[in-house]
Amino acid sequence: MADEQPAGPVEHLITVQCDAVSSTLTLQQRSVDVKLGDTIVWQFFGMPDGWSPWIEFRPREKGTGFLGPFTALTQTAAALWGEIGNDPGLVGTAMVYRVFVQKGIGTGWEQGEAVISSAAGSLAIGPEDHGTLQTFKVTASKTGPALQVSPIGVIVQPGDTVEWDFQEIPAEPDTWRPVVSFTRYDGTGVVPNQYLGPFASLTTGADRVRGMGNNRVPGTYYFQVSVVRLGDGEILWIGSNDPAIDNRGGVGDPTTTGGTGG
């Protein structure tokens, strides 16, 4: 098993589907476990022209500002995101919110302004040190153009992150990029995106790949690592299909718990 280290900040992606015909806005992941320092991104699909997204938090007993748990909110034409602050008072709370799309500022008296709101969503906030970083070491075989992965498997829980660290690859670092491909799933759930495996997002660096966010579909996810040459995409080195991640992120049927979480 990998050495236990803090999971570090996680970027959570929450997809929002807008149907302008029926005037509905649907959160695909209504309940998400997050922690201090994490970033939350709401990506809106099907946005009508001329409309913009925004978010509203339900006031708590002690009051909640318009930023909710975030230090600031960034708004684009089809997305919202913010970083959760490091306020210990947020730990153990569940921030209830709804997103909406608005024409104009949505709450004014001028002609042509309107709002379409979603049902309530929830962010359950944990401490900054919640979760563990699991690490796979990926090295080149001495006998041929093959990659070896150690350990052969890890177990992940909600809040955990996973990194694949590509070490001592016999090629110039600026001529290749690392790739992690999930090849099959062994379980009884429905995986929302086979490409992402048990995660909500994958981040690729110069010599490593990081998986963040838990899709809450339990089971075993098998993967293959490879080194791909820049320019033509040719695979230079490749591993076997044996390594796996055992996801213990599911605590129930995702279709009845509001979808995926972090």
Side-chain angles (χ1 to χ4, degrees):
M1 297 296 293
D3 296 333
E4 290 194 356
Q5 301 177 33
V10 172
E11 296 177 359
H12 304 268
L13 177 64
I14 300 175
T15 53
V16 185
Q17 187 64 48
C18 180
D19 187 340
V21 175
S22 61
S23 296
T24 57
L25 204 63
T26 304
L27 286 168
Q28 299 299 324
Q29 301 90 6
R30 290 180 58 182
S31 178
V32 179
D33 295 329
V34 299
K35 65 179 185 298
L36 301 182
D38 285 0
T39 296
I40 319 296
V41 180
W42 287 268
Q43 182 69 54
F44 291 71
F45 294 92
M47 286 277 294
D49 293 339
W51 293 59
S52 58
W54 194 240
I55 187 170
E56 180 180 49
F57 290 93
R58 178 182 293 170
R60 297 185 294 163
E61 292 182 2
K62 296 182 179 180
T64 302
F66 74 93
L67 291 176
F70 300 113
T71 57
L73 282 167
T74 300
Q75 177 188 34
T76 69
L80 291 168
W81 67 87
E83 180 180 324
I84 297 176
N86 288 313
D87 180 3
L90 294 172
V91 175
T93 64
M95 303 293 290
V96 179
Y97 71 92
R98 61 181 180 179
V99 294
F100 53 89
V101 293
Q102 58 187 3
K103 185 178 182 181
I105 61 171
T107 57
W109 291 68
E110 297 179 9
Q111 183 178 2
E113 296 180 345
V115 170
I116 302 174
S117 299
S118 71
S122 176
L123 303 175
I125 303 176
E128 184 179 11
D129 60 357
H130 175 65
T132 299
L133 170 64
Q134 308 277 9
T135 301
F136 288 104
K137 293 182 179 180
V138 182
T139 56
S141 171
K142 296 180 180 180
T143 60
L147 297 176
Q148 298 175 331
V149 177
S150 177
I152 195 65
V154 299
I155 297 173
V156 295
Q157 305 282 356
D160 290 354
T161 56
V162 174
E163 280 192 356
W164 289 263
D165 184 6
F166 288 68
Q167 302 178 342
E168 301 177 0
I169 304 300
E172 292 296 327
D174 59 351
T175 64
W176 59 271
R177 70 179 181 94
V179 174
V180 175
S181 304
F182 288 93
T183 56
R184 74 181 194 275
Y185 163 72
D186 185 7
T188 58
V190 177
V191 180
N193 189 332
Q194 180 78 24
Y195 176 80
L196 298 176
F199 304 107
S201 67
L202 292 173
T203 299
T204 302
D207 57 1
R208 66 189 60 235
V209 176
R210 187 172 191 234
M212 297 182 292
N214 198 303
N215 70 4
R216 288 196 177 273
V217 181
T220 304
Y221 295 75
Y222 293 88
F223 64 87
Q224 186 175 61
V225 294
S226 59
V227 168
V228 176
R229 186 166 59 196
L230 300 179
D232 59 9
E234 182 180 347
I235 295 176
L236 302 177
W237 299 73
I238 194 167
S240 71
N241 289 313
D242 296 331
I245 296 173
D246 183 2
N247 186 23
R248 304 289 176 86
V251 293
D253 183 355
T255 62
T256 62
T257 57
T260 63

